[in-house]
Amino acid sequence: MAKSKVVTLWVIWLIAFPSLVTYSYLEFKPNFSEYWLDLLAFAIVISAVAVFPIKVGNITVFFSNGISLAAFLYFGLFVELILTQISLVVLFVKLNLKKDDSYRIPTNSTMFLLTSVISAGLYYALGGTHGALAINSMEEIIPLAGYIIGVILVNQVCLSVIQWFVHGEELFAYPKSLLIDSGVTFLAFPLGLVLYLMYLQIEAIAVFFVGIPFILLSIVFSYYHNTQRINKYLHTTSEIGHELSKSLNVKSVLNTFLDEVKRLIPASNIYVFDISNENRMMKLIRHMDDQGNQVKKKLKLHQGEGFAGIVYEREESIMLMGKKDINELMPHELPGGTNSVMGVPIQRNNKVVGILTVASYEINAYEKYHLMLLEILANFLSVAIENARHYESAKTKSQRDQLTNLYNYRYFIAYIDEYAKDLEAKGIDESLSVIILDLDSFKAINDQYGHESGNEVLVELSNRLVRLFGHYGVIARYGGEEFTVLIKGMSHDDVVQVAEEIRYAIASEPFILYKAIDGDVEVQEIKVTASIGVATYPEQCETPQELIRNADRSMYVGAKRNGKNKVASLT
């Protein structure tokens, strides 16, 4: 949240808190001399209730209203103000507020103050009094009803304004969280009346008799809500696994994974290490910082080195929740200021193949269920990466020539066809050209030097083509000793010039052959030439699909039959 907003909230609190508390004390002059034990009992019970809050969206709900109602009816506004502020202090200690959430102190304190003062003002305006009330006449019921309605309405208005000012939500949108808060308040007030009536009969002991059900109710609701929250997290985790399964390459899997982990688990830094089981080294392959940026960072760790190294060494999940414990691992890979960290091994086939680490600058940022979620996510990541690698391997085998690693005939044909359809669908007129080359007298090379040497020539030729002409377009091994190049958006004359450069690059520099004889390596240079054909759409073809046929025809008719080592095209 913007610093200016935080300052505004603190200024409002510094003005409202002292003035309203002082006013309530001077105005009503409460006398506590005979009720210290009773007030202590109220404070204990309302504090115990605050230990079991319910987190709903951006707000926190707990059953303090019933207890504060009983105290208000008997002791008045000042006591109710103090008790609600005490419950807030206990709540903040329980929640272990992080630095970024410190704005909640003035926000909630001011909200509770306004709710208490305005609802009390309505109570007094309707003729309400304090002390021993029978609550059996309209003179007493009407002020009580006004107080309860005032608490609910003022509380909801304050929450809506907070949601708007702090979180940027629509003013008075009344989300689900506010409905739940209203429901908890309605449920607490009847118990508060029971507490008040019993207090009139048996005094302080009644606070504990009725307070225990308050506490139990808080525990039940808190644990039920936490269970629901964990189930929601598990459902989200399952959706992340499904999303990862859609990614068909490792890079996409890792990018998606980091984004989803950042969304699900509070983290200032996220690290993914890949492990080489041969030398037990870990290499950092992904790092996301607290701004959500993926940072390129060269980092290698040995097994047992740093936090991730210890997770690897133990082959089990580890969670550290204090700077002291983290600093005992020095030196480590975590940034300065890290106060909480979790690490889980990424396993495949019962072997640790990676380490996943999330770290936070906040103290006690994680709970056990966070570690459980991270373990599940690590398993999803392992499966998704394995599937992506299998897919990439299968895709490479189907698209690439195994000898030269260039694209193969099938891919080249399909690429031209898809690209032509795309141009047609978009209504774009673009020239396409195909250069096809065939090595001259290649059979003689195989016969004289052997097929291994012939393969060396093909590999060196493919490397030469990619190095010198790969920027022009798609290069493929069409079959045997034939190679093709697809060039986009270039005039026919310019493509012919490129083809001439290819011919010269092959013919001008000899190819090196290495042959092992009796343990020694014999090096031999041979001259290789190529006949090349060129075709361009739409100059020489009616459709892009005719490019290869026309280029092939140009190569055989215009180059091969006219002495080889030439470039030819249809006129």
Side-chain angles (χ1 to χ4, degrees):
M1 184 171 62
K3 186 177 181 180
S4 58
K5 288 188 176 182
V6 176
V7 171
T8 300
L9 292 172
W10 278 106
V11 169
I12 293 173
W13 182 82
L14 288 171
I15 295 173
F17 186 83
S19 57
L20 290 177
V21 172
T22 302
Y23 167 78
S24 65
Y25 181 82
L26 295 176
E27 177 69 21
F28 300 102
K29 298 179 176 61
N31 181 10
F32 307 133
S33 58
E34 300 177 6
Y35 299 102
W36 287 111
L37 290 177
D38 297 20
L39 294 174
L40 179 61
F42 274 102
I44 291 172
V45 172
I46 202 169
S47 298
V49 169
V51 172
F52 301 99
I54 302 172
K55 177 80 172 165
V56 184
N58 293 318
I59 69 171
T60 301
V61 180
F62 59 107
F63 290 89
S64 64
N65 287 320
I67 300 166
S68 62
L69 170 65
F72 172 78
L73 290 176
Y74 195 85
F75 296 104
L77 174 61
F78 180 78
V79 169
E80 194 265 351
L81 278 178
I82 299 302
L83 286 176
T84 53
Q85 296 300 313
I86 289 174
S87 69
L88 266 182
V89 172
V90 174
L91 175 65
F92 292 146
V93 173
K94 165 66 177 179
L95 294 178
N96 188 26
L97 283 186
K98 302 173 179 59
K99 183 179 179 181
D100 292 342
D101 292 332
S102 60
Y103 70 88
R104 295 180 61 180
I105 297 174
T107 301
N108 286 272
S109 179
T110 304
M111 182 184 73
F112 273 46
L113 281 170
L114 292 176
T115 300
S116 298
V117 171
I118 295 174
S119 56
L122 184 59
Y123 179 79
Y124 298 136
L126 294 173
T129 59
H130 299 292
L133 306 174
I135 312 183
N136 57 5
S137 65
M138 294 302 294
E139 288 79 6
E140 294 176 340
I141 293 174
I142 290 176
L144 176 60
Y147 174 82
I148 293 173
I149 293 172
V151 168
I152 294 173
L153 290 180
V154 174
N155 194 56
Q156 296 301 298
V157 170
C158 287
L159 284 174
S160 294
V161 172
I162 291 171
Q163 297 286 80
W164 164 73
F165 183 77
V166 174
H167 302 290
E169 297 184 6
E170 185 180 348
L171 191 62
F172 302 119
Y174 214 73
K176 179 183 177 181
S177 56
L178 297 187
L179 287 172
I180 293 176
D181 180 76
S182 298
V184 169
T185 303
F186 273 117
L187 188 61
F189 278 134
L191 290 175
L193 285 175
V194 172
L195 171 59
Y196 170 73
L197 294 173
M198 287 192 66
Y199 176 74
L200 295 178
Q201 301 298 319
I202 57 178
E203 299 180 342
I205 194 68
V207 179
F208 294 102
F209 276 145
V210 181
I212 290 174
F214 263 107
I215 297 171
L216 292 176
L217 189 63
S218 298
I219 294 173
V220 170
F221 269 81
S222 179
Y223 276 98
Y224 171 78
H225 182 72
N226 285 339
T227 301
Q228 292 295 102
R229 182 174 57 170
I230 292 173
N231 286 338
K232 181 180 178 180
Y233 279 134
L234 289 173
H235 178 70
T236 303
T237 303
S238 176
E239 291 179 343
I240 292 174
H242 181 68
E243 192 67 26
L244 288 175
S245 66
K246 296 179 181 177
S247 301
L248 298 178
N249 64 77
V250 175
K251 181 179 179 180
S252 177
V253 167
L254 288 169
N255 291 342
T256 300
F257 179 78
L258 289 180
D259 291 337
E260 295 297 341
V261 170
K262 185 79 172 179
R263 181 171 64 90
L264 185 65
I265 297 177
S268 303
N269 288 274
I270 306 173
Y271 302 86
V272 180
F273 289 89
D274 186 63
I275 291 177
S276 172
N277 288 308
E278 288 76 13
N279 55 18
R280 296 184 176 276
M281 285 284 293
M282 301 187 303
K283 179 182 178 183
L284 181 65
I285 58 175
R286 283 294 188 280
H287 174 208
M288 178 179 281
D289 63 14
D290 54 351
Q291 301 300 316
N293 300 316
Q294 293 199 32
V295 182
K296 291 184 178 181
K297 184 178 180 181
K298 292 183 178 181
L299 178 61
K300 291 184 179 181
L301 297 175
H302 292 278
Q303 186 181 42
E305 182 183 4
F307 176 72
I310 291 177
V311 175
Y312 178 27
E313 185 176 55
R314 297 182 184 178
E315 297 189 1
E316 63 181 21
S317 301
I318 299 176
M319 181 168 64
L320 300 179
M321 302 296 285
K323 182 175 289 187
K324 180 181 177 181
D325 292 335
I326 295 172
N327 287 339
E328 286 178 356
L329 304 175
M330 294 295 286
H332 59 69
E333 72 279 12
L334 305 172
T338 298
N339 286 296
S340 304
V341 62
M342 296 187 297
V344 300
I346 303 171
Q347 296 185 331
R348 188 180 306 123
N349 299 325
N350 296 320
K351 288 185 178 181
V352 179
V353 296
I355 301 296
L356 171 62
T357 301
V358 297
S360 174
Y361 297 133
E362 304 298 337
I363 300 173
N364 298 324
Y366 304 120
E367 299 179 37
K368 288 184 178 179
Y369 76 86
H370 284 124
L371 189 62
M372 176 190 68
L373 293 176
L374 201 63
E375 290 173 338
I376 296 173
L377 290 172
N379 289 331
F380 283 148
L381 178 61
S382 175
V383 173
I385 288 179
E386 185 73 1
N387 290 341
R389 283 175 175 166
H390 281 312
Y391 175 80
E392 288 179 342
S393 176
K395 183 178 180 181
T396 298
K397 289 179 180 178
S398 67
Q399 293 182 348
R400 296 282 181 174
D401 173 61
Q402 296 300 301
L403 176 63
T404 63
N405 202 38
L406 294 177
Y407 288 114
N408 58 26
Y409 162 83
R410 184 185 301 108
Y411 174 84
F412 193 78
I413 295 295
Y415 184 89
I416 292 177
D417 190 55
E418 290 298 320
Y419 192 79
K421 289 179 180 177
D422 186 60
L423 290 178
E424 183 180 359
K426 295 176 180 177
I428 298 175
D429 292 325
E430 182 181 63
S431 62
L432 290 176
S433 300
V434 165
I435 298 173
I436 187 165
L437 66 93
D438 182 84
L439 294 183
D440 297 324
S441 305
F442 187 71
K443 183 177 182 301
I445 295 175
N446 281 332
D447 292 341
Q448 183 175 353
Y449 300 102
H451 287 280
E452 285 297 323
S453 295
N455 286 341
E456 287 182 29
V457 171
L458 295 176
V459 171
E460 169 58 24
L461 173 59
S462 65
N463 293 336
R464 201 176 293 185
L465 289 174
V466 171
R467 184 176 69 252
L468 299 176
F469 306 100
H471 61 283
Y472 282 112
V474 179
I475 301 176
R477 183 185 179 191
Y478 196 66
E481 63 272 22
E482 288 187 331
F483 294 80
T484 55
V485 182
L486 176 66
I487 298 178
K488 307 170 187 175
M490 189 178 288
S491 70
H492 180 70
D493 291 340
D494 288 340
V495 175
V496 170
Q497 182 58 41
V498 172
E500 183 60 37
E501 292 173 6
I502 292 175
R503 185 202 64 75
Y504 180 78
I506 297 172
S508 63
E509 184 178 347
F511 285 70
I512 310 299
L513 303 180
Y514 300 90
K515 187 174 183 180
I517 302 176
D518 297 330
D520 296 326
V521 177
E522 179 182 302
V523 180
Q524 188 166 6
E525 296 182 353
I526 64 171
K527 289 284 188 177
V528 177
T529 62
S531 298
I532 301 177
V534 180
T536 301
Y537 167 83
E539 284 91 332
Q540 285 90 29
C541 312
E542 293 185 2
T543 66
Q545 288 79 2
E546 296 178 3
L547 281 168
I548 292 178
R549 184 180 63 188
N550 288 353
D552 192 56
R553 183 182 173 190
S554 297
M555 184 260 294
Y556 276 104
V557 174
K560 286 285 187 185
R561 293 181 183 178
N562 288 317
K564 303 179 181 179
N565 191 24
K566 296 183 185 302
V567 173
S569 68
L570 295 179
T571 57

